[in-house]
Amino acid sequence: MLTFRKALLLSACALTIIYFFQSSHSKATYPGDIEHYGKHGDAEVKDTVHTGSAPQPTKVYPPPRGVSKDKKTSQQTFNSVEGKSLLEQLRYLYPYDPDGKFPAYIWQTWKATPASGDFGDELRPQEASWTDLHPDFIHEVITDQTAVHLIRYLYASMPEILEAYNALPIPVLKADFFRYLILLARGGIYSDIDTQALKSAVDWIPSDVPPSSVGLIVGIEADPDRPDWKDWYSRRIQFCQWTIQAKVGHPVLRNIVASITEDTLRMKKLGILSKKKIDKSIVEFTGPALWTDIIFNYMNNPEYFKIENGGKNITWEAFTGIETAKKVGDVVVLPITSFSPGVGQMNAKDVDDPMAFVKHDFEGSWKAPSERIKPIIG
């Protein structure tokens, strides 16, 4: 029988749990200076020192779901952002806390989960490497069917995003979109299923950089220093999106989700949202070309950065040839060796190099053979 005393105790426990799961977020403006960690590729702008809390031990904890400390955001209600731009709605739905921790999640996608006999024995060592090196992380392999339900849950208040996700006509487009959507809403690490973790994510950030000053970690996919680079890659410096680490609500993720959603609905309205009719290539629509452009736009956005180098834009020249990490505001850019060791080109070192963090096998099994990455020859 539920007595008054028991009911009171249960209520107190419930309130304690609700309080525990709440957290606060804030928006900050970052200096637009480049910080370089290592001997090579001296920064073109003045170095700065970011202060922050000391590194905290890794642990499993729920994603932040609180209200932003930013006055403009905290005074908004759902009704007040309804009808506003996608960016404003996303800012409200998943506010960014630059001082928060990286959520201890690892997200991967595949046709089946590791518990299924259909998972594929060739992928098991790679998938297991992430759990082995991150024993305190929640590691999820999301199937296509589960992804649909998860996105529906996370973005229930934003029907445009649900419509765009469901309307994408090619699996690779949905795979690209999903990684941005899940990181925006839950944060943590996304990595393709054909990647192998070589070092724990704890080691990805240079030891002299406070984790609280970093909100996004990306690696260089391509740095083709040759006259015909446009024949092989879409950008002179191209950031990879097979492995990304981010905090919830990071503006780069917010911007790319809005961009893909708006482009998808535009093509749908025009009647060209099909594999043969879309007016953008996959790399420009959802892939590394768009990802690279969004990152550079963020680095040069005065809303978030105070550029102190005479107004000069941060371009590929700031990152070409780097062999150690560079930090721009709250973004850490890792050299090509970090996420592409052993590729034998563009000065990438081997898998035993100290800067080798993730090995990518470039299977691209969800892509058509013509869309998979091929090495540069010659």
Side-chain angles (χ1 to χ4, degrees), residues 34-277:
I34 299 177
E35 298 177 51
H36 183 77
Y37 299 90
K39 300 178 181 178
H40 304 275
D42 292 336
E44 296 181 356
V45 294
K46 182 180 178 182
D47 289 342
T48 59
V49 177
H50 295 268
T51 59
S53 58
Q56 300 295 319
T58 301
K59 65 176 183 179
V60 176
Y61 54 92
R65 296 286 293 168
V67 180
S68 172
K69 293 179 181 178
D70 179 65
K71 291 183 179 179
K72 292 182 180 179
T73 305
S74 63
Q75 291 174 353
Q76 290 180 323
T77 64
F78 179 77
N79 290 333
S80 69
V81 297
E82 203 171 11
K84 296 207 172 176
S85 70
L86 278 174
L87 284 175
E88 285 301 315
Q89 293 181 58
L90 289 168
R91 188 196 298 267
Y92 170 80
L93 184 62
Y94 293 114
Y96 175 46
D97 179 9
D99 298 319
K101 299 177 182 177
F102 280 100
Y105 291 125
I106 297 170
W107 305 100
Q108 297 185 290
T109 58
W110 191 235
K111 304 167 188 175
T113 67
S116 168
D118 298 327
F119 183 71
D121 291 340
E122 71 280 1
L123 294 174
R124 292 190 183 279
Q126 295 165 312
E127 185 272 338
S129 69
W130 288 97
T131 299
D132 292 342
L133 288 175
H134 305 85
D136 295 326
F137 281 52
I138 296 175
H139 182 187
E140 297 285 355
V141 177
I142 307 296
T143 64
D144 294 342
Q145 186 177 7
T146 302
V148 173
H149 296 293
L150 186 56
I151 296 307
R152 187 181 301 161
Y153 167 73
L154 295 172
Y155 294 92
S157 62
M158 299 192 68
E160 303 100 321
I161 290 178
L162 301 179
E163 181 184 356
Y165 182 80
N166 291 326
L168 289 170
I170 310 172
V172 66
L173 297 175
K174 286 189 174 181
D176 282 342
F177 199 19
F178 178 82
R179 71 194 65 194
Y180 309 133
L181 290 167
I182 194 65
L183 288 176
L184 176 64
R186 287 295 181 261
I189 298 168
Y190 170 85
S191 197
D192 281 356
I193 199 68
D194 57 351
T195 60
Q196 176 185 354
L198 301 176
K199 287 188 178 179
S200 168
V202 175
D203 299 323
W204 294 3
I205 300 176
S207 58
D208 53 347
V209 176
S212 61
S213 71
V214 180
L216 179 68
I217 300 176
V218 297
I220 292 176
E221 173 185 359
D223 183 8
D225 186 13
R226 49 188 290 164
D228 62 344
W229 66 266
K230 289 184 179 180
D231 295 337
W232 301 92
Y233 291 95
S234 56
R235 302 294 183 269
R236 175 58 182 80
I237 282 285
Q238 190 163 289
F239 298 123
C240 77
Q241 27 95 271
W242 60 71
T243 301
I244 306 166
Q245 186 176 22
K247 293 178 181 177
V248 173
H250 195 278
V252 166
L253 296 167
R254 184 194 308 151
N255 291 339
I256 200 166
V257 165
S259 174
I260 293 172
T261 300
E262 290 167 351
D263 247 358
T264 302
L265 298 182
R266 173 186 62 81
M267 290 187 218
K268 182 181 179 182
K269 187 176 181 180
L270 293 173
I272 60 172
L273 191 61
S274 67
K275 184 175 182 179
K276 294 183 178 180
K277 292 183 178 180

